[in-house]
Amino acid sequence: DIQMTQSPSTLSASVGDRVTITCRASQSISSWLAWYQQKPGKAPKVLIYETSSLESGVPSRFSGSGSGTEFTLTISSLQPDDFATYYCQQYNSFWTFGQGTRVEIK
Amino acid sequence: QVQLVESGGGVVQPGRSLRLSCVASGFTFSTYRIHWVRQAPGKGLEWVAVIWYDGSNKYYADSVKGRFTISRDDSKNTVHLQMNSLRAEDTAVYYCARGAGGSYYDYCDYWGQGTLVTVSS
């Protein structure tokens, strides 16, 4: 089974900050990685798929990069609506989520 | 617009069964895979099961294999998750989600609002 490890678990940041979240896979997953945003009491929403493709309607301040086993989600300028929990998910071999990264207000 | 609506959650005793339903609308249901993903209270997301667009493939997480069964009824645009031998650790919000397709394994592009299952005596 492929394990996904996100870091950090919690991130404190201010509006306007550049934020980076890392996701590591226990084995190569090629580019089959997605990022989701989840707000309290709501369903997850996909932001990025296939490592770097932006889902329709998602602001361009979100971007993804990486390949193989190491991936990053970057928010170029954090907005008030971006305070949420973010999950990576591999879909190279079955499906596995990372444990999540909570982005909170500093 | 794409919509997925889950139902069937509730409180159930350990060892008992429950069937969840996910009704889809706004897209050609018979051409998409449907996933179930769950989230225990205060915890992260856990993928549970998927059914292929034609029902030809069904996959399950190890934690539910042999106890949960996924099925679909294309005449009703509905996917079911039959959950047997429920345990306390199955307590979670259960989401159904549409598989985006485009690769053998896929990500989830639309999600329902979730239904809460509580396993407790």
Side-chain angles (χ1 to χ4, degrees):
Chain A
D1 292 6
I2 299 175
Q3 310 302 318
M4 305 300 292
T5 304
Q6 286 182 235
S7 59
S9 295
T10 306
L11 187 158
S12 298
S14 302
V15 172
D17 284 353
R18 182 181 181 87
V19 166
T20 299
I21 298 169
T22 297
C23 182
R24 289 186 174 87
S26 60
Q27 64 189 73
S28 177
I29 58 170
S30 185
S31 296
W32 302 117
L33 185 100
W35 289 97
Y36 300 86
Q37 177 193 66
Q38 187 181 33
K39 296 181 179 179
K42 301 293 187 182
K45 169 190 168 184
V46 64
L47 302 173
I48 303 278
Y49 63 95
E50 207 170 330
T51 296
S52 59
S53 295
L54 200 65
E55 184 75 2
S56 177
V58 174
S60 60
R61 62 181 179 273
F62 291 94
S63 64
S65 63
S67 68
T69 62
E70 187 149 339
F71 302 85
T72 58
L73 172 71
T74 299
I75 309 172
S76 60
S77 178
L78 198 66
Q79 298 302 300
D81 191 48
D82 301 338
F83 292 97
T85 300
Y86 294 84
Y87 295 92
C88 62
Q89 180 203 33
Q90 70 82 18
Y91 54 102
N92 177 75
S93 176
F94 297 93
W95 298 265
T96 316
F97 289 94
Q99 80 277 17
T101 295
R102 183 182 171 215
V103 177
E104 61 180 26
I105 301 172
K106 189 172 185 178
Chain B
Q1 71 282 19
V2 173
Q3 277 198 313
L4 298 160
V5 179
E6 303 93 338
S7 62
V11 180
V12 61
Q13 293 179 328
R16 304 298 290 263
S17 300
L18 205 61
R19 189 176 84 155
L20 305 183
S21 298
C22 170
V23 178
S25 61
F27 63 100
T28 306
F29 180 74
S30 61
T31 63
Y32 284 88
R33 303 166 201 164
I34 300 294
H35 297 256
W36 286 96
V37 175
R38 68 184 181 183
Q39 186 169 38
K43 301 298 184 183
L45 301 171
E46 179 188 16
W47 175 80
V48 173
V50 65
I51 186 166
W52 247 232
Y53 66 97
D54 59 357
S56 60
N57 288 314
K58 303 172 186 179
Y59 296 111
Y60 301 91
D62 287 344
S63 58
V64 307
K65 203 173 293 182
R67 299 188 299 123
F68 289 13
T69 302
I70 191 170
S71 61
R72 65 189 297 152
D73 181 347
D74 287 358
S75 69
K76 296 181 180 178
N77 282 11
T78 300
V79 169
H80 297 291
L81 185 68
Q82 177 67 42
M83 305 186 296
N84 298 333
S85 302
L86 283 162
R87 306 166 180 167
E89 54 264 36
D90 296 318
T91 295
V93 173
Y94 285 73
Y95 296 100
C96 65
R98 190 181 81 166
S103 55
Y104 188 81
Y105 300 102
D106 56 4
Y107 68 99
C108 298
D109 58 356
Y110 288 93
W111 297 63
Q113 83 290 349
T115 188
L116 176 62
V117 173
T118 302
V119 183
S120 174
S121 55

